[in-house]
């Protein structure tokens, strides 16, 4: 291949990898499998070495994702470099030579830099693109295992990985009502959880932090040992990555020990890291433009097996998303039998050119998650169904952020109804513990549940439920008590639980507030009247109105009302002092514990909190009114006042929130 064609191929590869990386890291969307990404990356790297050319947009020059607009950005004091990697165990021995090293897990989550001062956590920043990250201090404070206060009083900076365990990942996905809201893997879930604007979401996701590197500790003496740094962090209360002290004679054996452990390890890991224990020696080696020379990453050499694809199973969800799942002749991988793997979406299905009867190779990503590596046949004959496999309704391919996905368009699809029941019992809706999606499927299959009201009549089947697999006298009784407790609810929660399109809990609250919880008036309102409510547009109003105009929906609603008790929420005119007003909140808060608390305070008084500044915004609440964030810029452009939290409280809440 001549130089010009090689350069052209490099540009093509750089663009493909850039799009895939942006989708994965910044948008939590997977448009390309790990195997395919690594294959293209290796091809680009080989071409760069061969030609001596490295393009300015080459992903080999950059690591991580670009910081998004919603969170404040901050430049790292020291660039966070990637690690050079190998899959050769003997190379680890050669690299270590006569030196002693530490071998530890390379965790698969989101890298975070923590800074402590005076014994307090003062800052947490994501890795971002290695030079600029996102400030997530409020979210880090609610990681389930992080010390917010430590005994060491000097300036302390450390790096670690925020992760969500496989077991927590499965629980969270099980509790998720939305089909396409389910996360593909723990890393995506962790990334979204850490980078939330509302740290209550982070707190509920059980994010854990494992320290893997000490950057700075003023005045501390570690006797030139990385191991001493790890022990120091452990004494301060940090969980560190599990590590072993190794040398040339036992490093290969130690890799084998980790390899055995990963099969049952609950924390996502995509390999190991080997670092010299001798700090001074490691630092004396310096770094390349991309890699530090004091450490080396070991990536598992994926065990791949050839098999035959014999079916694509299409799995619908509550929102209509239909996920393709590859079914193939069973093969043994990493000690277990594997016969199916998610293909995630239509884009990946097309890129693999799948066809029934094709020879494919499969592997376990990070030795855990089954994936298709390559299609050796590439027939591309898989037909995308024009009708839903559950209800027979018409399907449609939709493209969002360069990703094509298949949807069922039938609103009455049975699969959608199963997911609707999951939403109905979820925490922000009726909050019924013990009714997971799997349990609901069993009850629906047995005919115990046909409509929402039937959930409150499950006691009729108590004897049968006690005998069901996974149940017993105690768990059944707990479920019945949870159902009874859920009978008493609020009108907004009850309306939200119905799963009406575009009617979330905030919208339900706005409608109920406008009509002062007068159910008869809400039911009698037409599209024009609903549209007149501040924050309720014609689309939402039409969907809400049409839902209750449907005879079957109205019948089920009436049956549901017979089973619940709606708590009376009295609203005085004084409480509605912010009615019709729209606000935007950004940045960290001083007086309120969280943005959710401030949002609820505004909503109590009839106001609304939105995510973007428009000409209708009354004011932007930001304690840093000199910030160059997109929201501040937009507010100034539209001449929307930017108020500090204290100014907002005094002007709109009557100064009733005090700074403790």
């Amino acid at each position: 291949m001549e130089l010009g064609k090689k350069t052209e191929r490099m540009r093509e590869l750089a663009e493909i990898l850039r799009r895939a990386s942006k989708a994965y890291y910044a948008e939590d969307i997977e448009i390309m499998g790990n195997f395919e990404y690594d294959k293209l990356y290796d091809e680009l790297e080989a071409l760069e070495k061969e030609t001596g050319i490295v393009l300015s947009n080459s992903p080999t020059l950059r690591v991580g994702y670009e910081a998004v607009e919603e969170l404040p950005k901050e430049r790292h004091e020291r660039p966070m470099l990637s690690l050079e990697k190998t899959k050769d165990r003997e190379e680890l021995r050669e690299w270590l030579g006569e030196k002693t090293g530490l071998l530890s897990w390379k965790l698969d989550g989101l890298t975070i830099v923590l800074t402590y001062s005076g014994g307090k956590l003062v800052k947490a920043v994501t890795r971002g693109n290695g030079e600029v990250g996102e400030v997530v201090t409020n979210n880090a404070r609610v990681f389930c295992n992080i010390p917010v206060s430590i005994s060491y009083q000097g300036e302390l900076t450390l790096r670690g990985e925020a992760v969500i365990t496989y077991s927590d990942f499965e629980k969270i996905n099980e509790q998720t009502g939305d089909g396409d809201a389910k996360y593909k893997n723990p890393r995506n879930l962790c990334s979204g959880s850490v980078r939330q604007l509302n740290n209550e979401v982070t707190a509920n996701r059980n994010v854990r932090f494992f320290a893997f590197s000490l950057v700075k500790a003023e005045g501390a003496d570690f006797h030139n040992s990385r191991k001493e740094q790890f022990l120091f962090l452990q004494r301060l209360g940090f969980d560190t990555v599990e590590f072993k002290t190794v040398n040339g004679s036992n490093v290969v054996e130690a890799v084998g020990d980790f390899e055995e452990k990963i099969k049952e390890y609950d924390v996502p890991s995509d390999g190991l890291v080997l670092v010299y224990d001798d700090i001074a020696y490691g630092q004396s080696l310096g770094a390349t433009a991309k890699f530090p020379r004091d450490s080396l990453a070991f990536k598992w050499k994926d065990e791949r097996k050839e098999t035959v694809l014999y079916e694509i199973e299409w799995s619908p969800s509550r929102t209509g998303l239909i996920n393709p799942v590859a079914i193939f002749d069973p093969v043994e991988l990493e000690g277990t039998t594997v016969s199916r793997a998610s293909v995630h979406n239509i884009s990946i299905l097309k890129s693999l050119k799948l066809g029934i009867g094709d020879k494919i190779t499969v592997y376990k990503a990070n030795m855990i998650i089954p994936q298709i590596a390559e299609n050796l046949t590439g027939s591309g004959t898989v037909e995308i169904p024009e009708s839903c496999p559950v209800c027979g309704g018409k399907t449609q391919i939709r493209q969002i952020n360069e990703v094509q996905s298949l949807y069922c368009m039938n609103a009455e699809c049975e699969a959608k109804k199963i997911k609707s029941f999951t939403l109905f019992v979820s925490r922000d809706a009726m909050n019924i513990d013990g009714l997971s999606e799997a349990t609901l499927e069993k009850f629906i299959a047995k005919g115990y549940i046909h409509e929402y009201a039937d959930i409150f009549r499950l006691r009729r089947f108590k004897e049968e439920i006690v005998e069901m697999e996974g149940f017993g006298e105690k768990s059944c009784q707990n479920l019945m008590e949870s159902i009874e407790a859920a009978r008493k609810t609020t009108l907004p929660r009850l309306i939200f639980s119905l799963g009406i399109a575009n009617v979330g809990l905030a919208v339900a609250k706005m409608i109920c507030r406008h009509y002062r919880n007068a159910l008869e008036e809400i039911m009698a309102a037409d599209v024009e009247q609903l549209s007149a409510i501040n924050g309720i547009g014609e689309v939402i109003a039409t969907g809400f109105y049409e839902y209750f105009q449907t005879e079957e929906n109205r019948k089920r609603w009436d049956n549901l009302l017979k089973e619940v008790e709606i708590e009376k929420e009295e609203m005085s005119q004084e409480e509605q002092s912010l009615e019709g007003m729209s606000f935007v909140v950004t940045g960290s808060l001083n007086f309120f514990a969280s943005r959710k608390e401030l949002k609820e305070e505004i909503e109590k008084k009839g106001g609304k909190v939105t995510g973007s500044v428009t000409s209708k915004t009354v004011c932007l609440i930001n304690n840093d009114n000199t910030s160059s964030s997109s929201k501040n810029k937009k507010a100034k452009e539209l001449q929307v006042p930017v108020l500090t939290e204290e100014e907002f409280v005094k002007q709109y809440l009557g100064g009733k929130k005090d700074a403790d």
Side-chain angles (χ1 to χ4, degrees):
M1 189 188 299
E2 63 184 39
L3 182 61
K5 289 185 178 179
K6 289 177 182 177
T7 306
E8 186 179 340
R9 175 59 176 164
M10 288 162 62
R11 292 187 189 281
E12 180 186 8
L13 289 169
E15 179 59 22
I16 293 170
L17 293 168
R18 185 197 64 77
R19 287 203 311 268
S21 183
K22 180 183 177 184
Y24 184 72
Y25 287 105
E27 298 164 358
D28 298 331
I29 299 169
E30 192 166 358
I31 64 175
M32 180 186 295
N34 292 341
F35 184 87
E36 181 66 14
Y37 184 92
D38 288 344
K39 180 181 173 184
L40 296 180
Y41 186 98
D42 290 344
E43 181 186 348
L44 174 60
E45 198 170 43
L47 283 170
E48 289 177 344
K49 288 178 181 177
E50 183 182 340
T51 63
I53 298 171
V54 180
L55 302 170
S56 61
N57 69 337
S58 173
T60 64
L61 291 176
R62 295 177 172 84
V63 291
Y65 58 86
E66 296 293 331
V68 296
E69 290 292 331
E70 286 80 358
L71 291 169
K73 299 176 187 176
E74 182 166 307
R75 185 169 294 277
H76 294 297
E77 186 176 332
R78 301 180 190 177
M80 299 187 66
L81 303 178
S82 182
L83 294 179
E84 192 166 10
K85 64 179 184 292
T86 181
K87 292 187 176 183
D88 187 341
R89 299 172 192 225
E90 285 301 322
E91 189 175 332
L92 294 178
R93 190 201 306 271
E94 293 171 11
W95 182 87
L96 197 56
E98 299 299 317
K99 294 290 183 180
T100 299
L102 298 182
L103 187 67
S104 63
W105 292 116
K106 184 176 181 294
L107 301 183
D108 190 21
L110 196 67
T111 301
I112 305 289
V113 183
L114 301 181
T115 301
Y116 288 76
S117 181
K120 303 293 184 184
L121 174 64
V122 294
K123 188 164 56 181
V125 184
T126 68
R127 177 183 187 169
N129 65 3
E131 294 184 358
V132 177
E134 299 162 310
V135 179
V136 291
T137 311
N138 285 341
N139 295 344
R141 293 184 197 280
V142 296
F143 291 175
C144 66
N145 68 331
I146 201 170
V148 292
S149 298
I150 57 176
S151 58
Y152 178 76
Q153 297 298 300
E155 289 288 327
L156 177 74
T157 304
L158 67 150
R159 296 171 179 172
E161 200 80 355
V163 296
I164 289 177
T165 63
Y166 286 111
S167 53
D168 284 333
F169 169 74
E170 290 170 3
K171 289 176 187 174
I172 292 167
N173 254 355
E174 188 177 88
Q175 295 163 2
T176 300
D178 242 340
D180 50 359
K182 286 188 180 297
Y183 292 86
K184 305 300 182 191
N185 54 58
R187 193 241 166 247
N188 280 20
L189 176 59
C190 184
S191 176
S193 302
V194 172
R195 296 159 61 214
Q196 284 286 330
L197 296 180
N198 181 350
N199 68 351
E200 184 183 19
V201 176
T202 309
N204 292 330
R205 298 279 175 78
N206 225 21
V207 178
R208 302 170 191 273
F209 177 84
F210 292 91
F212 61 66
S213 174
L214 179 61
V215 179
K216 180 174 69 175
E218 289 182 345
D221 182 5
F222 302 110
H223 309 290
N224 196 37
S225 169
R226 293 282 183 195
K227 180 178 180 180
E228 287 300 315
Q229 289 183 334
F230 272 115
L231 297 177
F232 170 75
L233 290 172
Q234 290 176 0
R235 289 195 295 270
L236 291 179
F238 292 97
D239 286 334
T240 65
V241 290
E242 180 185 349
F243 65 91
K244 291 176 179 285
T245 303
V246 295
N247 53 42
S249 65
N250 67 359
V251 64
V252 173
E253 180 185 348
V255 170
D257 292 340
F258 276 104
E259 187 175 26
E260 281 300 309
K261 185 171 289 189
I262 198 174
K263 295 173 184 176
E264 304 296 330
Y265 196 46
D266 199 27
V267 182
S269 166
D270 57 359
L272 303 171
V273 175
L274 180 60
V275 61
Y276 293 117
D277 184 53
D278 187 325
I279 298 172
Y281 175 74
Q283 291 176 344
S284 72
L285 298 175
T288 68
K290 187 178 180 184
F291 306 122
R293 290 194 174 100
D294 68 343
S295 49
L296 183 66
F298 173 80
K299 303 283 284 186
W300 306 113
K301 189 174 289 185
D302 301 315
E303 179 186 8
R304 283 196 283 161
K305 292 286 182 70
E306 187 177 308
T307 183
V308 176
L309 178 72
Y310 68 80
E311 182 185 354
I312 292 290
E313 180 182 282
W314 298 90
S315 176
S317 69
R318 182 184 77 87
T319 58
L321 178 70
I322 304 177
N323 290 307
V325 179
I327 313 297
F328 43 82
D329 288 336
V331 291
E332 288 289 320
L333 281 177
E334 314 293 355
T336 61
T337 302
V338 177
S339 61
R340 54 195 292 129
S342 174
V343 187
H344 300 307
N345 52 55
I346 300 299
S347 294
I348 292 179
L349 180 116
K350 288 181 176 178
S351 70
L352 287 168
K353 298 180 181 178
L354 294 177
I356 305 305
D358 282 1
K359 287 185 178 180
I360 60 175
T361 59
V362 294
Y363 72 108
K364 281 187 176 180
N366 301 338
M367 302 179 72
I368 299 291
I369 304 168
Q371 300 278 305
I372 296 177
E374 287 183 289
N375 184 356
L376 303 177
T377 306
S379 69
T381 58
V382 164
E383 293 185 6
I384 299 171
E386 295 181 358
S387 59
C388 173
V390 172
C391 70
K394 183 178 174 57
T395 62
Q396 183 181 96
I397 295 176
R398 295 178 182 172
Q399 181 160 325
I400 303 172
N401 294 329
E402 300 186 13
V403 176
Q404 290 186 337
S405 299
L406 187 67
Y407 287 84
C408 171
M409 306 309 292
N410 177 19
E412 297 302 313
C413 179
E414 287 299 320
K416 293 182 181 182
K417 291 180 181 179
I418 290 174
K419 304 291 182 176
S420 295
F421 284 111
T422 308
L423 171 66
F424 182 82
V425 303
S426 65
R427 191 185 62 177
D428 286 340
M430 299 305 290
N431 192 23
I432 303 177
D433 286 332
L435 278 180
S436 66
E437 185 175 311
T439 300
L440 283 166
E441 283 193 66
K442 291 177 184 177
F443 288 174
I444 291 169
K446 287 183 174 292
Y448 300 165
I449 299 174
H450 298 281
E451 59 178 298
Y452 297 136
D454 288 336
I455 290 175
F456 296 99
R457 303 165 184 158
L458 279 172
R459 190 172 289 276
R460 296 178 298 176
F461 304 101
K462 185 176 180 180
E463 291 183 10
E464 292 91 334
I465 292 172
V466 168
E467 298 300 320
M468 288 174 63
E469 183 180 352
F471 273 92
E473 194 70 45
K474 180 63 176 175
S475 58
C476 182
Q477 183 58 35
N478 289 341
L479 173 59
M480 297 304 157
E481 290 174 2
S482 181
I483 291 172
E484 288 305 308
R487 287 184 187 274
K488 184 174 286 189
T489 188
T490 64
L491 187 55
R493 288 169 72 98
L494 191 63
I495 290 174
F496 167 62
S497 72
L498 301 176
I500 303 171
N502 301 310
V503 179
L505 186 56
V507 170
K509 285 180 179 178
M510 281 190 279
I511 294 172
C512 293
R513 264 200 314 272
H514 181 81
Y515 288 102
R516 311 183 71 75
N517 285 328
L519 182 55
E520 297 78 9
E521 292 182 39
I522 293 173
M523 294 295 103
D526 59 24
V527 173
E528 185 178 353
Q529 292 168 328
L530 290 165
S531 298
I533 301 173
N534 187 271
I536 307 295
E538 186 177 349
V539 172
I540 295 175
T542 301
F544 186 88
Y545 175 78
E546 290 181 350
Y547 180 90
F548 287 105
Q549 291 305 302
T550 304
E551 183 179 350
E552 187 64 25
N553 289 341
R554 193 59 182 256
K555 179 182 175 183
R556 291 174 177 176
W557 170 251
D558 290 339
N559 290 340
L560 179 59
L561 289 177
K562 295 173 185 176
E563 300 293 338
V564 299
E565 177 186 344
I566 298 175
E567 297 174 339
K568 297 294 182 184
E569 291 182 299
E570 298 298 330
M571 300 183 200
S572 67
Q573 192 60 41
E574 181 185 358
E575 286 178 331
Q576 300 301 290
S577 59
L578 302 183
E579 187 169 2
M581 297 185 185
S582 179
F583 303 89
V584 175
V585 184
T586 191
S588 58
L589 300 177
N590 300 323
F591 296 171
F592 290 87
S594 65
R595 290 186 188 181
K596 182 181 180 183
E597 184 183 330
L598 175 53
K599 180 182 177 184
E600 288 177 348
E601 189 69 26
I602 291 170
E603 288 178 346
K604 278 180 191 174
K605 296 181 180 298
K608 178 186 176 186
V609 176
T610 63
S612 57
V613 178
T614 70
S615 58
K616 295 182 180 179
T617 304
V618 173
C619 74
L620 169 66
I621 305 163
N622 186 356
N623 285 322
D624 181 8
N625 55 21
T626 63
S627 166
S628 59
S629 70
S630 59
K631 288 187 174 70
N632 269 34
K633 288 178 181 176
K634 192 69 174 176
K636 290 171 183 175
E637 178 186 322
L638 297 174
Q639 296 186 327
V640 171
V642 180
L643 303 182
T644 65
E645 194 179 352
E646 183 176 6
E647 289 168 340
F648 170 77
V649 169
K650 288 179 179 177
Q651 189 168 334
Y652 290 97
L653 301 184
K656 293 181 180 178
K657 182 70 180 180
D658 298 320
D660 297 326

